[in-house]
């Protein structure tokens, strides 16, 4: 019978000699001599079960597998399933060329024997498991995000209703630039800086600083004015040829440099050691908290963007970063949440992943650095907010986690984070051959998450739970070959991303125009100057937004440079101390003794914040040979009445009361 089978299978006139058959026991003994240790298979060979018999036939396929599982689950040392061993027995007895002969070489049997041993151990581990109910196995289940099934269907978003806040623009009606600025830096913060600077100077050097709240105001005002009127060096502001009297009249050059090196926002000895280890920026933390408080007081919009910001500094600091693609690649990294208008809502200085882990919930711990930043900055946003971010923050797991909190992410994404969707999207070569404006969209089975690939100059991958491809529109793109603009199709997700994502870039650009970038080796001073710039930029953007809502004429809205200059002059004119009136009255009386010269000394008109203060504005009569001209704009009269505080001549008559109009 074996000979006939060999004749039909080989189809050749030459027959191989029939080899002697031997039992499974003998085969196992031969394998033991080759491999050495064979404890598992020795136990199997001693078993008297009929499954190891050479003449054993496997059970029919109709036999229920559940019965085998029930029988094997009661044994302490379970026997492998018959179907597996029958296949192993056939492989042992089968010939290489389809014949029934066996090769008899030990090396060819070794892999089969090892697979058999692994199968026995796997069966034992399955039988010893504590899960009694059958179900789908979780062994080898893909990671989070890789189990999603993608289909070429449109997005069907299921979004929660956004909770709008009451508009407070009307509450800011009539605000001055100082009112906007004091949302972030107020008098209490200035007083704290003054007290801490005096205490630290006295404790460290023994030389009292003797600064006041007004002098701290003047210092910040001088720094802001220097950023608007730039000189190569700070010392030039006190030079005879280029001096700026608004700065030099407040303090000398040496006094300014001493203040600059002695500004403190806390007393170092009051900070515990554990806080110093936990917070790398503890030296400026009270200042940062006050700025953050002002940012969090702003209305939360429906759309916000999250991006990273660099605080330029190349000196020694607690946590310096290098980002080669940034305009300022070296410095301190700051993660910022802002509106589409550029108004900062929240920020968090990067000081390692561990600091972020302490500020998020337990289920968000495994999101990675980008996901942790999203979770931290979204804590102050309302449910239903649409958040836009770049590929550093976007991942499938992060988007799904934020969906549970009813925060909806839209952003670019890296190819290696797309799991199974990357293979189903159109290839780069196909889209390039089709032309610019080609797009491809995939969605999950439930339709709540989509991936869009759009080809412009190069492929762009985006993920969203809010926007998909439709409705498409067109945009103008420059074609290098044709040397002209061409019309390109653009998906909806790209349009919305471009409109809502530029908030952090806008605030960065506003800060860079007039940055307080005086050279310093102290990272604390660099931080104070940067966040003062941030407060000024935020104040101007909010000021411009309020006037635009009130439909104010564009000519009446101050530009950013004018706004900063106005703020600088306001801070330089601050006088809240008890001796402020005496300071103003210390000016020389040169105008009273000006009869010897041909020209009279003209006193500058004080800032409006000084003029409108109610105290100490008393008129006095000056005995002059010739009356002085009234300083009220539009008045051509002459008078001998002068304000004691402002040192300007004003009309004080029954029919023309310029004195009251000037001070109100």
């Amino acid at each position: 019978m074996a000979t006939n089978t060999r004749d039909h299978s080989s189809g050749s006139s030459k027959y191989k000699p029939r080899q002697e058959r031997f039992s499974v026991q003998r085969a196992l003994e031969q394998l033991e001599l080759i491999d050495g240790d064979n404890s598992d298979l020795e136990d199997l060979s001693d078993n008297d079960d009929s499954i190891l018999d050479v003449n054993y036939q496997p059970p029919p396929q109709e036999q229920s597998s559940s019965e085998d599982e029930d029988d094997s689950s009661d044994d302490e040392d379970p026997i492998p399933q018959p179907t597996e061993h029958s296949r192993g027995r056939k492989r042992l007895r089968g010939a290489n060329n389809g014949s029934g002969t066996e090769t008899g070489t030990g090396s060819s049997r070794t892999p089969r024997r090892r697979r058999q041993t692994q199968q026995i151990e796997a069966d034992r581990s399955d039988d010893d498991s504590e899960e009694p109910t059958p179900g789908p196995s979780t062994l080898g289940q893909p990671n989070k995000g890789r189990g999603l099934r993608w289909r070429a269907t449109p997005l069907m978003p299921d979004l929660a209703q956004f909770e709008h806040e009451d508009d407070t623009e009307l509450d800011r009606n009539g605000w001055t630039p100082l009112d906007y600025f004091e949302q972030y830096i107020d008098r209490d913060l200035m007083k704290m800086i003054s007290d801490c600077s005096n205490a630290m100077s006295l404790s460290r050097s023994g030389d009292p600083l003797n600064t006041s709240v007004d002098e701290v105001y003047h210092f910040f005002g001088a720094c802001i004015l220097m950023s608007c009127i730039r000189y190569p060096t700070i010392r030039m502001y006190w030079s005879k040829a280029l001096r700026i009297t608004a700065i030099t009249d407040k303090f000398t050059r040496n006094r300014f440099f001493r203040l600059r090196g002695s500004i403190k926002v806390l007393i170092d000895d009051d900070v515990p050691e554990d806080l110093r280890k936990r917070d790398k920026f503890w030296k400026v933390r009270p200042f940062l908290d006050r700025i953050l408080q002002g940012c969090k007081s702003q209305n939360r919009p429906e759309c916000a963007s999250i991006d990273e910001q660099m605080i330029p500094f190349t000196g020694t600091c607690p946590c310096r970063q290098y980002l080669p693609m940034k305009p300022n690649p070296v410095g301190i990294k700051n993660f910022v949440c802002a509106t589409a208008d550029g108004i900062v809502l929240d920020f968090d200085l990067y000081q390692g992943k561990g600091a972020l882990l302490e500020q998020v919930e337990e289920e968000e711990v495994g999101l990675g650095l980008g996901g942790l930043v999203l979770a931290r900055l979204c804590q102050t946003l309302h449910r239903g907010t649409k958040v836009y971010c770049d590929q550093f923050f976007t991942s499938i797991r992060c988007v799904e986690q934020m969906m549970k909190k009813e925060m909806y992410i839209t952003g670019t994404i890296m190819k290696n984070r797309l799991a199974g969707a990357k293979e189903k999207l159109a290839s780069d070569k196909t889209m390039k051959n089709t032309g610019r404006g080609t797009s491809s969209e995939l969605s999950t089975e439930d339709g709540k998450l989509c991936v869009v690939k759009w080809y412009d100059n190069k492929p762009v991958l985006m993920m969203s739970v809010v926007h998909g491809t439709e409705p498409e529109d067109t945009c103008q793109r420059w074609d290098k070959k044709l040397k002209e603009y061409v019309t390109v199709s653009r998906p909806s997700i790209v349009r919305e991303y471009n409109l809502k994502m530029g908030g952090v870039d806008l605030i960065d650009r506003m800060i860079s125009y007039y940055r307080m970038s005086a050279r310093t080796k102290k990272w604390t001073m660099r931080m104070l100057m940067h966040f003062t710039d941030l407060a000024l930029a935020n104040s101007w953007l909010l000021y411009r937004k309020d006037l635009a809502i009130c439909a104010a004429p564009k000519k009446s809205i101050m530009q950013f440079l004018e706004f900063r200059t106005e703020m600088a002059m306001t801070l330089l004119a601050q006088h809240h101390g008890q001796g402020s009136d005496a300071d103003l009255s210390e000016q020389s009386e040169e105008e009273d003794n000006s009869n010897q010269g041909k020209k009279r000394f003209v006193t500058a008109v004080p800032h409006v914040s000084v003029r409108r203060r109610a105290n100490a504005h008393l008129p006095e009569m000056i005995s002059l040979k010739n009356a002085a001209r009234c300083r009220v704009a539009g008045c051509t009269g002459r008078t001998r009445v002068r304000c004691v505080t402002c040192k300007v001549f004003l009309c004080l008559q029954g029919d023309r009361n310029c004195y009251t109009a000037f001070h109100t």
Side-chain angles (χ1 to χ4, degrees):
M1 192 69 182
T3 303
N4 295 336
T5 305
R6 188 166 53 250
D7 290 341
H8 291 285
S9 62
S10 61
S12 175
S13 59
K14 295 183 178 180
Y15 300 101
K16 296 181 180 179
R18 181 171 182 177
Q19 300 179 4
E20 182 182 359
R21 299 183 62 178
F22 51 92
S23 63
V24 176
Q25 178 65 27
R26 181 179 176 185
L28 294 178
E29 290 177 356
Q30 295 292 333
L31 292 175
E32 181 181 2
L33 295 176
I34 297 174
D35 291 342
D37 186 15
N38 192 25
S39 57
D40 293 338
L41 292 180
E42 284 180 353
D43 296 340
L44 183 63
S45 62
D46 294 336
N47 199 330
D48 296 334
D49 189 54
S50 59
I51 190 174
L52 296 180
D53 188 8
V54 177
N55 298 324
Y56 174 76
Q57 297 295 332
Q61 297 294 331
E62 291 78 5
Q63 185 175 356
S64 174
S65 61
S66 61
E67 296 178 359
D68 298 336
E69 292 178 359
D70 295 339
D71 294 339
S72 61
S73 61
D74 296 333
D75 300 334
E76 294 182 358
D77 190 9
I79 300 174
Q81 296 297 327
T83 55
E84 296 293 334
H85 285 279
S86 63
R87 288 194 294 267
R89 180 175 56 83
K90 290 180 180 179
R91 285 194 298 268
L92 178 65
R93 298 170 57 186
N96 292 335
N97 296 328
S99 63
T101 61
E102 121 188 32
T103 59
T105 59
S107 59
S108 62
R109 295 190 184 100
T110 302
R112 180 202 60 78
R113 181 165 163 266
R114 289 178 180 174
R115 289 194 300 268
Q116 187 180 21
T117 305
Q118 293 175 359
Q119 180 65 32
I120 294 173
E121 293 176 354
D123 294 340
R124 288 179 178 178
S125 62
D126 292 340
D127 292 337
D128 294 337
S129 62
E130 298 179 358
E131 184 68 21
T133 57
S137 174
T138 59
L139 185 63
Q141 186 175 354
N143 296 331
K144 186 68 175 178
R146 293 183 178 273
L148 295 177
R149 294 185 178 181
W150 301 91
R151 297 180 178 180
T153 55
L155 177 69
M156 296 180 292
D158 183 15
L159 309 181
Q161 185 69 26
F162 177 75
E163 300 175 358
H164 289 274
E165 290 183 348
D166 296 335
D167 295 335
T168 58
E169 287 80 3
L170 298 178
D171 299 339
R172 296 190 290 265
N173 187 21
W175 273 24
T176 63
L178 181 61
D179 296 328
Y180 286 98
F181 183 71
E182 285 186 342
Q183 293 182 105
Y184 307 95
I185 299 177
D186 56 1
R187 181 169 176 79
D188 293 336
L189 181 60
M190 293 295 188
K191 187 176 186 305
M192 181 185 66
I193 294 175
S194 174
D195 296 340
C196 294
S197 300
N198 288 330
M200 288 297 297
S201 177
L202 185 61
S203 63
R204 293 298 171 86
S205 63
D207 187 12
L209 185 62
N210 292 332
T211 186
S212 62
V213 179
D214 291 341
E215 193 173 33
V216 177
Y217 268 112
H218 299 163
F219 172 78
F220 279 91
C223 292
I224 296 171
L225 189 58
M226 289 177 182
S227 67
C228 299
I229 307 172
R230 292 191 178 277
Y231 286 168
T233 61
I234 296 179
R235 295 177 182 272
M236 296 178 66
Y237 292 97
W238 282 268
S239 64
K240 291 183 180 180
L242 301 173
R243 65 183 303 169
I244 297 178
T245 56
I247 298 175
T248 57
D249 290 347
K250 296 303 177 182
F251 27 61
T252 64
R253 182 188 63 190
N254 293 339
R255 180 63 177 175
F256 177 82
F257 279 110
R258 187 179 179 190
L259 286 172
R260 191 164 175 264
S262 304
I263 291 293
K264 301 289 183 181
V265 297
L266 51 73
I267 300 175
D268 295 354
D269 297 336
D270 294 344
V271 181
E273 190 64 27
D274 58 340
L275 180 58
R276 298 188 184 192
K277 295 180 180 179
R278 188 170 63 252
D279 187 4
K280 295 182 180 180
F281 301 102
W282 59 271
K283 288 189 175 183
V284 293
R285 183 56 62 184
F287 192 88
L288 299 180
D289 290 342
R290 183 62 187 88
I291 301 293
L292 187 60
Q293 178 184 347
C295 294
K296 291 183 177 180
S297 65
Q298 306 303 324
N299 287 345
R300 263 44 196 166
E302 185 176 2
C303 300
S305 62
I306 294 177
D307 205 350
E308 53 192 8
Q309 177 188 75
M310 288 299 291
I311 304 173
F313 186 73
T314 57
T316 303
C317 61
C319 193
R320 187 176 62 185
Q321 299 291 308
Y322 174 67
L323 277 71
M325 302 302 293
K326 293 290 183 180
N328 300 298
V330 181
I332 301 170
K333 186 189 291 186
N334 184 29
F335 294 108
V336 180
C337 176
T339 66
D341 300 328
I343 300 174
V344 176
L345 304 175
D346 198 356
F347 62 85
D348 190 83
L349 289 170
Y350 175 70
Q351 44 185 329
K353 187 176 179 179
L356 290 168
L357 291 173
E358 297 177 358
Q359 305 179 60
V360 299
E361 300 176 0
E362 294 183 1
E363 61 270 13
E364 300 168 345
V365 171
L367 294 180
L369 179 59
L372 291 176
V373 173
L374 276 180
R376 157 63 187 86
L377 295 180
C378 289
Q379 290 176 354
T380 59
L381 300 178
H382 296 168
R383 59 184 295 269
T385 303
K386 302 177 181 66
V387 182
Y388 298 82
C389 55
D390 60 16
Q391 62 182 3
F392 177 79
F393 307 93
T394 312
S395 65
I396 295 179
R397 181 176 180 183
C398 179
V399 172
E400 291 178 340
Q401 181 64 33
M402 299 309 295
M403 284 179 62
K404 297 178 182 178
K405 294 187 173 185
E406 297 181 339
M407 300 285 177
Y408 306 113
I409 308 297
T410 299
T412 56
I413 189 170
M414 302 180 187
K415 292 189 297 184
N416 57 357
R417 297 182 182 179
L418 282 178
K422 181 175 63 175
E423 290 76 11
K424 295 186 178 181
L425 290 168
S427 63
D428 297 350
K429 185 176 181 180
T430 302
M431 301 185 79
K432 184 177 181 180
N433 295 334
T434 306
R436 298 177 67 174
T438 307
S439 61
S440 175
E441 181 180 4
L442 292 177
S443 299
T444 54
E445 288 184 320
D446 55 4
K448 296 182 179 180
L449 178 64
C450 78
V451 175
V452 176
K453 185 176 183 180
W454 180 56
Y455 190 86
D456 188 16
N457 288 326
K458 60 181 181 179
V460 179
L461 287 170
M462 303 192 71
M463 176 175 288
S464 177
V465 297
V466 183
H467 311 289
T469 304
E470 300 297 336
E472 288 189 349
D473 67 341
T474 58
C475 60
Q476 297 294 317
R477 289 288 188 270
W478 178 257
D479 193 309
K480 293 182 179 180
K481 295 181 179 179
L482 301 177
K483 303 297 182 182
E484 62 181 9
Y485 285 97
V486 295
T487 302
V488 176
S489 299
R490 179 176 60 178
S492 173
I493 185 174
V494 178
R495 180 184 67 252
E496 295 297 327
Y497 180 83
N498 291 337
L499 289 174
K500 309 293 176 52
M501 183 57 194
V504 180
D505 294 335
L506 176 59
I507 193 73
D508 271 348
R509 188 170 74 249
M510 301 309 302
I511 292 175
S512 66
Y513 286 155
Y514 312 103
R515 189 189 300 274
M516 289 188 278
S517 58
R519 184 178 178 87
T520 178
K521 294 182 180 179
K522 290 180 175 289
W523 67 268
T524 54
M525 181 55 60
R526 176 69 265 162
M527 296 283 285
L528 297 183
M529 295 299 100
H530 173 81
F531 283 98
T532 303
D533 284 333
L534 188 145
L536 286 167
N538 244 27
S539 301
W540 178 75
L541 290 171
L542 191 61
Y543 157 82
R544 186 183 64 171
K545 178 182 177 182
D546 291 346
L547 292 186
I549 292 176
C550 297
K554 290 185 178 180
K555 292 184 178 180
S556 64
I557 302 176
M558 289 186 289
Q559 297 298 318
F560 188 42
L561 178 59
E562 186 181 356
F563 185 90
R564 287 181 68 100
T565 306
E566 179 73 13
M567 272 305 311
M569 300 305 296
T570 303
L571 296 180
L572 285 168
Q574 291 296 311
H575 291 280
H576 296 87
Q578 296 180 355
S580 59
D581 301 331
D583 296 337
L584 288 174
S585 62
E586 288 178 356
Q587 300 177 359
S588 62
E589 303 292 338
E590 296 182 5
E591 62 272 19
D592 296 340
N593 302 325
S594 60
N595 295 332
Q596 298 178 0
K598 295 182 179 180
K599 293 184 178 181
R600 178 182 296 134
F601 178 80
V602 179
T603 305
V605 176
H607 192 264
V608 64
S609 62
V610 177
R611 287 156 42 188
R612 294 180 179 177
R613 195 167 62 245
N615 60 330
H617 289 285
L618 300 176
E620 63 176 349
M621 184 66 68
I622 304 299
S623 58
L624 298 175
K625 182 178 180 180
N626 297 319
R629 186 179 296 277
C630 179
R631 300 302 300 277
V632 174
C635 180
T636 59
R638 293 181 176 273
T639 181
R640 290 180 175 86
V641 178
R642 186 181 68 173
C643 177
V644 175
T645 302
C646 301
K647 299 297 181 181
V648 294
F649 288 90
L650 302 166
C651 295
L652 186 57
Q653 301 176 7
D655 58 340
R656 188 170 65 252
N657 192 352
C658 297
Y659 190 90
T660 302
F662 183 80
H663 292 100
T664 55

PDB file of all heavy atoms in Angstrom, residues 198-214:
ATOM      1  N   ASN A 198      14.181  95.870  49.675  1.00  0.00           N
ATOM      2  CA  ASN A 198      14.824  96.518  50.817  1.00  0.00           C
ATOM      3  C   ASN A 198      15.335  95.493  51.824  1.00  0.00           C
ATOM      4  O   ASN A 198      16.459  95.614  52.339  1.00  0.00           O
ATOM      5  CB  ASN A 198      13.841  97.471  51.494  1.00  0.00           C
ATOM      6  CG  ASN A 198      13.578  98.714  50.677  1.00  0.00           C
ATOM      7  OD1 ASN A 198      14.442  99.170  49.938  1.00  0.00           O
ATOM      8  ND2 ASN A 198      12.377  99.264  50.788  1.00  0.00           N
ATOM      9  N   ALA A 199      14.508  94.482  52.113  1.00  0.00           N
ATOM     10  CA  ALA A 199      14.904  93.480  53.103  1.00  0.00           C
ATOM     11  C   ALA A 199      16.086  92.652  52.616  1.00  0.00           C
ATOM     12  O   ALA A 199      17.027  92.387  53.381  1.00  0.00           O
ATOM     13  CB  ALA A 199      13.715  92.576  53.424  1.00  0.00           C
ATOM     14  N   MET A 200      16.071  92.232  51.356  1.00  0.00           N
ATOM     15  CA  MET A 200      17.160  91.406  50.837  1.00  0.00           C
ATOM     16  C   MET A 200      18.461  92.199  50.725  1.00  0.00           C
ATOM     17  O   MET A 200      19.545  91.679  50.995  1.00  0.00           O
ATOM     18  CB  MET A 200      16.774  90.845  49.474  1.00  0.00           C
ATOM     19  CG  MET A 200      15.721  89.753  49.529  1.00  0.00           C
ATOM     20  SD  MET A 200      16.274  88.293  50.420  1.00  0.00           S
ATOM     21  CE  MET A 200      17.633  87.786  49.382  1.00  0.00           C
ATOM     22  N   SER A 201      18.382  93.471  50.345  1.00  0.00           N
ATOM     23  CA  SER A 201      19.592  94.280  50.247  1.00  0.00           C
ATOM     24  C   SER A 201      20.227  94.494  51.615  1.00  0.00           C
ATOM     25  O   SER A 201      21.455  94.433  51.764  1.00  0.00           O
ATOM     26  CB  SER A 201      19.253  95.623  49.589  1.00  0.00           C
ATOM     27  OG  SER A 201      20.387  96.469  49.538  1.00  0.00           O
ATOM     28  N   LEU A 202      19.401  94.719  52.620  1.00  0.00           N
ATOM     29  CA  LEU A 202      19.933  94.936  53.956  1.00  0.00           C
ATOM     30  C   LEU A 202      20.518  93.666  54.552  1.00  0.00           C
ATOM     31  O   LEU A 202      21.554  93.695  55.229  1.00  0.00           O
ATOM     32  CB  LEU A 202      18.823  95.485  54.863  1.00  0.00           C
ATOM     33  CG  LEU A 202      19.225  95.876  56.280  1.00  0.00           C
ATOM     34  CD1 LEU A 202      20.264  96.987  56.256  1.00  0.00           C
ATOM     35  CD2 LEU A 202      18.002  96.292  57.095  1.00  0.00           C
ATOM     36  N   SER A 203      19.876  92.509  54.282  1.00  0.00           N
ATOM     37  CA  SER A 203      20.359  91.252  54.868  1.00  0.00           C
ATOM     38  C   SER A 203      21.607  90.730  54.175  1.00  0.00           C
ATOM     39  O   SER A 203      22.458  90.100  54.810  1.00  0.00           O
ATOM     40  CB  SER A 203      19.252  90.199  54.804  1.00  0.00           C
ATOM     41  OG  SER A 203      18.921  89.901  53.460  1.00  0.00           O
ATOM     42  N   ARG A 204      21.760  90.987  52.896  1.00  0.00           N
ATOM     43  CA  ARG A 204      22.895  90.444  52.162  1.00  0.00           C
ATOM     44  C   ARG A 204      24.135  91.339  52.236  1.00  0.00           C
ATOM     45  O   ARG A 204      25.239  90.857  52.458  1.00  0.00           O
ATOM     46  CB  ARG A 204      22.498  90.232  50.702  1.00  0.00           C
ATOM     47  CG  ARG A 204      21.450  89.151  50.518  1.00  0.00           C
ATOM     48  CD  ARG A 204      21.960  87.788  50.990  1.00  0.00           C
ATOM     49  NE  ARG A 204      20.927  86.774  51.020  1.00  0.00           N
ATOM     50  CZ  ARG A 204      20.577  86.035  49.980  1.00  0.00           C
ATOM     51  NH1 ARG A 204      21.167  86.228  48.828  1.00  0.00           N
ATOM     52  NH2 ARG A 204      19.633  85.119  50.100  1.00  0.00           N
ATOM     53  N   SER A 205      23.956  92.622  52.048  1.00  0.00           N
ATOM     54  CA  SER A 205      25.122  93.517  51.994  1.00  0.00           C
ATOM     55  C   SER A 205      25.233  94.434  53.193  1.00  0.00           C
ATOM     56  O   SER A 205      26.277  95.057  53.398  1.00  0.00           O
ATOM     57  CB  SER A 205      25.054  94.361  50.715  1.00  0.00           C
ATOM     58  OG  SER A 205      23.911  95.195  50.734  1.00  0.00           O
ATOM     59  N   GLY A 206      24.173  94.552  53.974  1.00  0.00           N
ATOM     60  CA  GLY A 206      24.185  95.476  55.098  1.00  0.00           C
ATOM     61  C   GLY A 206      23.958  96.914  54.692  1.00  0.00           C
ATOM     62  O   GLY A 206      23.870  97.795  55.556  1.00  0.00           O
ATOM     63  N   ASP A 207      23.849  97.181  53.405  1.00  0.00           N
ATOM     64  CA  ASP A 207      23.626  98.529  52.903  1.00  0.00           C
ATOM     65  C   ASP A 207      22.159  98.655  52.515  1.00  0.00           C
ATOM     66  O   ASP A 207      21.701  97.977  51.586  1.00  0.00           O
ATOM     67  CB  ASP A 207      24.524  98.790  51.697  1.00  0.00           C
ATOM     68  CG  ASP A 207      24.460 100.236  51.249  1.00  0.00           C
ATOM     69  OD1 ASP A 207      23.899 101.064  52.002  1.00  0.00           O
ATOM     70  OD2 ASP A 207      24.957 100.542  50.144  1.00  0.00           O
ATOM     71  N   PRO A 208      21.382  99.491  53.190  1.00  0.00           N
ATOM     72  CA  PRO A 208      19.951  99.582  52.871  1.00  0.00           C
ATOM     73  C   PRO A 208      19.729 100.172  51.479  1.00  0.00           C
ATOM     74  O   PRO A 208      20.423 101.093  51.050  1.00  0.00           O
ATOM     75  CB  PRO A 208      19.393 100.490  53.963  1.00  0.00           C
ATOM     76  CG  PRO A 208      20.557 101.290  54.424  1.00  0.00           C
ATOM     77  CD  PRO A 208      21.764 100.397  54.285  1.00  0.00           C
ATOM     78  N   LEU A 209      18.754  99.618  50.774  1.00  0.00           N
ATOM     79  CA  LEU A 209      18.423 100.104  49.433  1.00  0.00           C
ATOM     80  C   LEU A 209      17.558 101.356  49.494  1.00  0.00           C
ATOM     81  O   LEU A 209      17.676 102.247  48.649  1.00  0.00           O
ATOM     82  CB  LEU A 209      17.709  99.002  48.645  1.00  0.00           C
ATOM     83  CG  LEU A 209      17.397  99.279  47.181  1.00  0.00           C
ATOM     84  CD1 LEU A 209      18.669  99.488  46.378  1.00  0.00           C
ATOM     85  CD2 LEU A 209      16.584  98.134  46.579  1.00  0.00           C
ATOM     86  N   ASN A 210      16.660 101.399  50.497  1.00  0.00           N
ATOM     87  CA  ASN A 210      15.811 102.570  50.724  1.00  0.00           C
ATOM     88  C   ASN A 210      14.992 102.945  49.485  1.00  0.00           C
ATOM     89  O   ASN A 210      14.886 104.110  49.115  1.00  0.00           O
ATOM     90  CB  ASN A 210      16.645 103.785  51.160  1.00  0.00           C
ATOM     91  CG  ASN A 210      17.255 103.602  52.539  1.00  0.00           C
ATOM     92  OD1 ASN A 210      16.717 102.883  53.381  1.00  0.00           O
ATOM     93  ND2 ASN A 210      18.396 104.226  52.788  1.00  0.00           N
ATOM     94  N   THR A 211      14.436 101.932  48.819  1.00  0.00           N
ATOM     95  CA  THR A 211      13.561 102.217  47.692  1.00  0.00           C
ATOM     96  C   THR A 211      12.125 102.333  48.171  1.00  0.00           C
ATOM     97  O   THR A 211      11.781 101.919  49.291  1.00  0.00           O
ATOM     98  CB  THR A 211      13.668 101.112  46.635  1.00  0.00           C
ATOM     99  OG1 THR A 211      12.917 101.494  45.489  1.00  0.00           O
ATOM    100  CG2 THR A 211      13.129  99.787  47.165  1.00  0.00           C
ATOM    101  N   SER A 212      11.292 102.904  47.344  1.00  0.00           N
ATOM    102  CA  SER A 212       9.883 103.108  47.669  1.00  0.00           C
ATOM    103  C   SER A 212       9.019 102.536  46.553  1.00  0.00           C
ATOM    104  O   SER A 212       9.513 102.139  45.492  1.00  0.00           O
ATOM    105  CB  SER A 212       9.584 104.602  47.857  1.00  0.00           C
ATOM    106  OG  SER A 212       9.829 105.309  46.652  1.00  0.00           O
ATOM    107  N   VAL A 213       7.721 102.528  46.807  1.00  0.00           N
ATOM    108  CA  VAL A 213       6.800 102.015  45.798  1.00  0.00           C
ATOM    109  C   VAL A 213       6.838 102.890  44.555  1.00  0.00           C
ATOM    110  O   VAL A 213       6.843 102.388  43.418  1.00  0.00           O
ATOM    111  CB  VAL A 213       5.371 101.935  46.373  1.00  0.00           C
ATOM    112  CG1 VAL A 213       4.397 101.435  45.314  1.00  0.00           C
ATOM    113  CG2 VAL A 213       5.334 101.028  47.586  1.00  0.00           C
ATOM    114  N   ASP A 214       6.905 104.186  44.750  1.00  0.00           N
ATOM    115  CA  ASP A 214       6.969 105.085  43.596  1.00  0.00           C
ATOM    116  C   ASP A 214       8.231 104.849  42.784  1.00  0.00           C
ATOM    117  O   ASP A 214       8.202 104.904  41.546  1.00  0.00           O
ATOM    118  CB  ASP A 214       6.925 106.540  44.075  1.00  0.00           C
ATOM    119  CG  ASP A 214       5.572 106.914  44.658  1.00  0.00           C
ATOM    120  OD1 ASP A 214       4.596 106.194  44.361  1.00  0.00           O
ATOM    121  OD2 ASP A 214       5.496 107.905  45.409  1.00  0.00           O
TER     122      ASP A 214
END
